[in-house]
Amino acid sequence: MALLRILSLEDLPTDAELMQHVLRHAGLEFELRRVIDEAGFRDALESFRPDIILADYMVPGFNGMEALALRNELRPAIPFLFVSGSLGEERAVETLVAGATDYVIKDRMARLPSAILRALEDARLMAQMDAERSLRQVILETVVGMIVTVDEHGVILTANPSAERLAGSPDAAITGRTFWDCYAPDEDITSCKLKLAAITRGVIDAEFSWRGVSRTGRTIVWTAAPLRGDPRTATRLVLCGIDITDQQQAQEKAYYLDHFDAATGLPNRKLFLLQLQQYCAAKTTETGTDIAALMVCFDRTREIHDSYGEEVLQQILAEMVRRMRTWQVQRELLARTGEQSFSLAFEIAGEAEVDTVIPYILKELHEPVEINGTSWVLPVHAGVAVFKRGHQTPDELALAAEAALHDAQARNLLYTCYHPRLAFRMRERLQLETELHQALQRPDQFAVYFQPQVDARNHSLTGLEALVRWRHPRLGLMLPGHFIPLAEMAGLMPQLGHLILKAVCRQMREWRTAGLTVPTVAINISATEFAAPALFDNIRAALRENEIPPELLELELTESASMQNPDATVTIMNRLHSLGIRLSIDDFGTGYSNLSYLKKFPVDRLKLDQAFVRDILVDPDDLAISQAVIAMAHQLRLEVVAEGVEAVEQLDLLVKAGCDGIQGYLFSIPLPGESCVALLRSGVVSPTTPVLPA
C-alpha cells in the first residue's frame, strides 16, 4: 500500500500524537500534516493533497463543521472522519447528513485504523461507481442510437439526447408522455401499443425488433426488451433505436445505380431483362398479339463526345429518348441497354407488322437534331426479334434482338429481323474476325488490285484506284466488301490501311524502276485511319522509303467520314495537302454533307457515287443529281470522277454533263499490279465489254 497522506485538524498536540501512535501500532504507513486554522487547512488541501481528513469537532476559530463545508466545496471526494470527544447522537447524525464519512470517539481510538481503512475503501468504490456512472452518462449522451425507458403503460421515464432530438423536444418535454405519442406516426400508434404491451406482459419474452418511421420522417429500427429488476415491481422497458435513414437511402441509391442509367433515367440492361420477363409472362395468356423486342444503336456517339463534349452528346441522346418515349404507351418497355444502344419491347399483331412499324420508328430517329445552331444526324441501325411462346425465353428474345442488330451493323443495313440462321452467320463472322487478326500478321495474304481512271473525253489514263483483296486460305479470294466492314468494327482498319499503303508504295516503286510512267494512285482511307495520330508519319515514311513523289499519291475519304468532325478534318487535310498529297471526297452525295465545310476542305476532286450512276439512264432524278454535283464541283474548281460506269450510254450522259473522269467496268476491272504494265505503257484505256470483277 502506498504511503497514506493524512490531514489532521487538531488543536491539541497530545491528541495528534495519540492518533499517530494508534495508526502505527495498527501497521499503517502514513504521513500526517496537522493544521489548526482555516488558512492551514486550505493550503493543505492544495499542496498536501490528502487521501483522508481527520477533524476534531471543536477547534477554536475553525471547527470541524466549517472544515467539512470547505472540503465539500473544494475536494468532495476526500473521505472526512470526525475524531472528537463525545458528539452525542444528534450531532453525529448532523455530521453524516453534512457529508462526513464516519466519526470516532477519542476514548475509543482503537477503532480509528479500521474506520480509516473502511472510509478509504468506500471512497474507492464510490469513485469507481462515479466513473462508471459518468461513463454511462457520456455513452448515453454521445451514442448515435436512441435509448428510451418506459413504464408498463408506455410512459417515457428517461430519454438520451439522441432520442430527444428524434422527438424534436428536450427531455423535460417528452418525459411523462407515451412512447407512441413521441415516436410513432398516427397510422402506426395502434401497432406500437400492441408491440409494447406484448413485451411488457411477457407474450414476447425475448428482445423484439421492428422497423418504423418516426414522426419526423426518419426510418428507425427499434429493439425493445424488459428491464430486469425486483419481480415485485412493475416491468419497465428499455427501447433502443437505430436511425437507418441514410443507410436506406444509400441502398436505394445503389439499387438505382445498379438498375437505371444515370444519364437518361431509363432502366438499364439488367432491369430491362427483369421487366421483359414479367412483360412476357403477362402476355403469354393473351391471344392475338405478339411481343417484339427492338434494339437500336446510334453510331458516331463516341466521335461526338470526343469532339464536342459530354453535354452536347447527352442533349442529342435526350432528344432521341424523347422521340422513343412518344412511342411508349401503357405497359411498353424502354431501356438504355448500352453506351450507344436502346431497347424497346412492345406488342405487335404479328411478324408481318414488323416491316411496317420498324421503318417508321427508325425514320423518326434519323431526323436531324438541332443543338446550339448545329444539325446532327446520327446513323442508326436496329435489330428486332419476335417472342415465340414455348420456344424462347425473354433472355433469349433480348439476345436475338441484339444478334439482329449486330447483323444489321455488319451488313450496313437499316435493320434486320432475327432468324436462326443469324446465329450461324454470327459464328462465321467471329471466326472471320479471328482469321483477319491472324492474316494481318502475314501480309502475303493481302493483294492490291488497281482499277484505271480515265479522261471522260479522250480515254487517256489519268489515275489508278488501289483496291485490296484477301487471299483467304479457307474461302478463296475475298472482295473488300466482305471484310472491310468487319475490320472497321474490330478496330483493325489503321493496321490494315498501313499494310495497304506500304504495298501500294512498293508497287509504284517497281513500276517506276521499270521505267513506266506512273499516274496518281488513290488509296481509300477509313474514318478511324484518318483520325489516327500516326497517319501523317506513316504516309511520309512510306513515300520516302520508296522514293515516291507525294503528288503521285491520292487519299480518298468518304463524305460521311469527312463530316464526323469537320473542323479536325480541315486541319488534317491541310497538313496532308502541304506535303503535296492529293485529296478527294469519295461516295459524294450519299452521306450528310455541309457545303460550308466542303468549300474549306483542300480537296482536288469529288467522286460521284455509283448509286447515282447506276440508274442514270432510267431515273431522271439520278441524272439531275449527277448533273448538279458536277456543276457544283466545277464552281468550286474541283474535278469530278464518276464511279461504276458500265455502259457507253452512261458514259455519253456523263460527258454531256461535263464529268472529268470515268471509273468502272466499261473500261477495266480491277487488275493485279503486273497486269497494269500494258496500260501504263500505252497510257490509253479503250471501252470494253464489262466482265465480272476479279
Side-chain angles (χ1 to χ4, degrees), residues 160-304:
N160 73 337
S162 292
E164 295 170 14
R165 288 191 293 271
L166 179 65
S169 303
D171 180 64
I174 63 175
T175 301
R177 297 173 59 192
T178 61
F179 177 84
W180 43 84
D181 284 339
C182 294
Y183 298 111
D186 293 342
E187 61 272 19
D188 292 340
I189 287 179
T190 300
S191 174
C192 185
K193 287 181 179 179
L194 293 174
K195 290 184 180 75
L196 297 188
I199 299 169
T200 301
R201 295 169 185 166
V203 176
I204 305 174
D205 56 5
E207 292 186 354
F208 179 73
S209 297
W210 73 93
R211 177 183 299 198
V213 178
S214 71
R215 288 182 175 269
T216 56
R218 308 293 292 181
T219 302
I220 310 296
V221 174
W222 290 103
T223 300
L227 183 63
R228 305 301 179 186
D230 189 339
R232 294 170 297 180
T233 62
T235 301
R236 296 182 178 183
L237 298 182
V238 177
L239 295 107
C240 298
I242 300 176
D243 189 335
I244 63 167
T245 307
D246 294 338
Q247 177 186 352
Q248 182 172 274
Q249 290 174 348
Q251 290 174 342
E252 291 173 354
K253 182 178 180 180
Y255 178 86
Y256 180 86
L257 294 175
D258 193 40
H259 292 81
F260 290 86
D261 171 57
T264 62
L266 293 175
N268 61 12
R269 183 185 186 91
K270 182 176 183 179
L271 182 56
F272 176 73
L273 292 176
L274 293 173
Q275 292 176 332
L276 188 60
Q277 291 178 354
Q278 298 171 353
Y279 191 66
C280 291
K283 292 295 182 181
T284 53
T285 58
E286 299 180 13
T287 59
T289 60
D290 289 320
I291 299 171
L294 173 69
M295 182 175 288
V296 298
C297 182
F298 298 102
D299 295 339
R300 296 177 55 194
T301 58
R302 177 49 55 189
E303 291 88 344
I304 293 173

